[in-house]
């Protein structure tokens, strides 16, 4: 039986799910960000300013959807910032009416955020939330915000100086950033398929997103520009807030730095993919039995691949790589879920 892993119907909407504006420590206003991103084919921005959930419904129109969100940072005690470990998490409200910020504490506000704290809605009967960068502390804030209707993503572990013993105990995320472009543009190796594999190999069924984490300190024409390099392609029937966040919840998307994935399906023990021009298409699996498709000669491109899956595999995911070395990454799909439906 043919099962589409990305929905057969609908269309793809290009999204930046990690974005900073002048409301915290970014250099561009939400209005300027909308204009710049729409000019480059984006339909969605999640505005995730630091520690403040401020909606931007005034930016919405038939071609553009702002998602409500915020980012928190959970730092160790700072002695030397360049050596300090931190954990950053984005929270995106699944419902447009969900504008009350959980786990709020104005003591953490920095940059321009204190000037806008009067715009933040939070439960004034709740005590200020104090963050702790421990497995339990990070998992607690992830789970609280998840329970309160937010889509939770774990961000840029390399820039954060987090290694396996740090992140592997975090629970409650929906997804992690497989690429954070701002970090990549500034010299950090935050293309993180190995971190994703670490989570998958202990049975965490999470997704991957691409985000810019843009602050726009450099102009768009600069090689240091931190916009337009990491994005998420969301497959949905329409550009409607709840339709898009339902697609996020269902995993109907892939992460990319450039290549496009057109179709992805499973049928009779095989996974099939079609995509834009690629120098290779790779199947990553739970076991060592990885598979890869190249063109016939060096420099040739491929646009599709079919891989046979073995019964021993627990999950699989695919990576499309273009001639410039940029990647598109699918979510992981667990065979027990595919075969059990």
């Amino acid at each position: 039986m043919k099962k589409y892993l990305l929905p057969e119907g609908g269309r793809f909407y290009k999204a930046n799910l990690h974005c900073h504006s002048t409301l915290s420590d970014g250099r561009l206003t939400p209005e300027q960000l909308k204009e710049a991103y729409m000019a480059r084919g984006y339909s969605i921005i999640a505005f995730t300013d630091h520690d403040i959930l401020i909606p931007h419904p005034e930016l919405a129109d038939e071609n553009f959807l702002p998602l409500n969100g915020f980012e928190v940072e959970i730092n160790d005690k700072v002695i030397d910032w360049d050596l300090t470990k931190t954990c950053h998490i984005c929270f995106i409200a699944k419902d447009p009416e969900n504008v009350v910020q959980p786990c709020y504490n104005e003591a953490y506000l920095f940059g321009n955020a204190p000037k806008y704290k009067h715009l933040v809605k939070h439960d004034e009967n709740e005590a200020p939330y104090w963050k702790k960068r421990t497995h339990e502390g990070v998992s607690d804030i992830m789970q609280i915000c998840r329970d309160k209707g937010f889509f939770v993503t774990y961000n840029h572990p390399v820039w954060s100086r987090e290694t396996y013993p740090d992140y592997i105990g975090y629970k409650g995320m929906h997804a992690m950033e497989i690429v954070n472009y701002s970090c990549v543009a500034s010299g950090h190796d935050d293309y993180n398929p190995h971190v994703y594999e670490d989570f998958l190999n202990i049975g965490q069924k999470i997704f991957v997103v691409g985000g810019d984490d843009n602050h726009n300190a450099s102009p768009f024409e600069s090689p240091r520009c931190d916009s337009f390099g990491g994005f998420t392609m969301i497959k949905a029937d329409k550009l409607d807030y709840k339709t898009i966040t339902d697609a996020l919840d269902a995993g109907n998307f892939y992460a990319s730095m450039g290549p496009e994935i057109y179709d992805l399906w499973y049928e009779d023990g095989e996974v099939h993919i079609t995509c834009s021009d690629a120098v290779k298409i790779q199947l990553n699996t739970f076991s060592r039995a990885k598979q890869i498709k190249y063109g016939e000669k060096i420099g040739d491109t491929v646009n599709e691949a079919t891989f046979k899956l073995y019964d021993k595999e627990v999950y699989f995911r695919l990576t499309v790589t273009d001639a410039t070395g940029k990647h598109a990454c699918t979510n992981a799909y667990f065979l027990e879920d595919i075969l059990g439906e």
Side-chain angles (χ1 to χ4, degrees), residues 47 145 253 277:
F47 290 94
C145 292
F253 56 87
D277 289 348

Side-chain angles (χ1 to χ4, degrees), residues 275 277-282 292-295 300-302 307 319-323 326-327:
C275 59
D277 289 348
V279 295
K280 63 180 179 180
I281 303 171
Q282 184 168 341
I292 193 165
K293 181 173 182 179
Y294 297 104
D300 286 354
T301 58
V302 292
F307 299 108
T319 304
V320 176
T321 305
D322 69 14
K326 295 178 179 177
H327 308 287

Side-chain angles (χ1 to χ4, degrees), residues 39-319:
R40 290 160 178 82
Y42 287 74
S43 302
I44 302 166
I45 294 178
F47 290 94
T48 53
D49 278 302
H50 290 283
D51 304 295
I52 51 172
L53 171 58
I54 299 178
H56 301 284
E58 72 281 358
L59 298 182
D61 59 41
E62 62 181 4
N63 298 309
F64 183 78
L65 178 66
L67 297 178
N68 305 330
F70 64 103
E71 183 180 25
V72 301
E73 55 290 325
I74 308 173
N75 303 328
D76 283 351
K77 183 178 180 180
V78 178
I79 299 174
D80 180 336
W81 174 244
D82 288 334
L83 301 177
T84 301
K85 289 191 175 187
T86 183
C87 175
H88 285 216
I89 313 163
C90 279
F91 304 101
I92 299 171
K94 297 182 190 180
D95 189 300
E97 303 304 317
N98 185 9
V99 294
V100 176
Q101 181 173 330
C103 303
Y104 181 74
N105 189 338
E106 68 176 62
Y108 292 117
L109 302 185
F110 68 95
N112 292 326
K115 295 190 296 186
Y116 298 99
K117 66 181 182 181
H118 63 285
L119 299 177
V120 177
K121 294 182 179 180
H122 61 94
D123 188 343
E124 296 184 358
N125 293 318
E126 290 185 354
Y129 186 89
W130 297 99
K131 300 176 288 189
K132 296 180 181 178
R133 201 194 69 85
T134 62
H135 291 165
E136 295 77 14
V138 170
S139 299
D140 184 62
I141 193 170
M142 285 183 173
Q143 193 61 53
I144 289 172
C145 292
R146 184 182 181 118
D147 291 344
K148 289 184 178 292
F150 288 81
F151 186 84
V152 180
T153 67
Y154 170 58
N155 304 335
H156 51 60
V158 171
W159 180 91
S160 299
R161 303 195 71 247
E162 293 201 303
T163 57
Y164 182 92
D166 299 299
Y167 60 70
I168 202 62
Y170 298 159
K171 299 177 181 178
M173 68 188 78
H174 291 89
M176 63 157 285
E177 288 182 335
I178 200 163
V179 60
N180 179 292
Y181 187 65
S182 177
C183 295
V184 170
S186 62
H188 300 271
D189 189 17
D190 262 304
Y191 170 59
N192 285 300
H194 63 287
V195 178
Y196 190 35
E197 296 280 349
D198 287 341
F199 283 120
L200 296 174
N201 286 335
I202 64 166
Q204 284 216 43
K205 295 181 179 181
I206 62 172
F207 305 134
V208 284
V209 297
D212 274 340
D213 191 8
N214 53 294
H215 294 74
N216 301 106
S218 299
F220 294 142
E221 63 272 15
S222 168
R224 295 182 180 276
C225 173
D226 58 3
S227 283
F228 323 122
F231 52 90
T232 304
M233 299 295 287
I234 304 171
K235 193 83 177 285
D237 291 332
K238 57 184 177 179
L239 190 64
D240 165 81
Y241 196 112
K242 196 65 172 61
T243 302
I244 292 297
T245 56
D246 282 350
L248 284 177
D249 234 2
N252 294 335
F253 56 87
Y254 66 90
S256 184
M257 299 177 73
E260 296 179 82
I261 297 173
Y262 304 138
D263 289 298
L264 182 66
W265 73 94
Y266 175 91
E267 187 174 21
D268 298 331
E270 296 179 330
V271 59
H272 307 259
I273 186 172
T274 64
C275 59
S276 58
D277 289 348
V279 295
K280 63 180 179 180
I281 303 171
Q282 184 168 341
L283 178 79
N284 288 84
T285 57
F286 177 73
S287 78
R288 189 177 289 115
K290 319 300 185 190
Q291 300 177 52
I292 193 165
K293 181 173 182 179
Y294 297 104
E296 291 296 319
K297 303 186 301 294
I298 294 175
D300 286 354
T301 58
V302 292
N303 298 95
E304 56 79 28
T306 297
F307 299 108
K308 178 72 176 177
L309 294 170
Y310 301 102
D311 292 340
K312 62 188 173 185
E313 301 304 352
V314 176
Y315 66 82
F316 64 88
R317 63 182 189 86
L318 295 102
T319 304

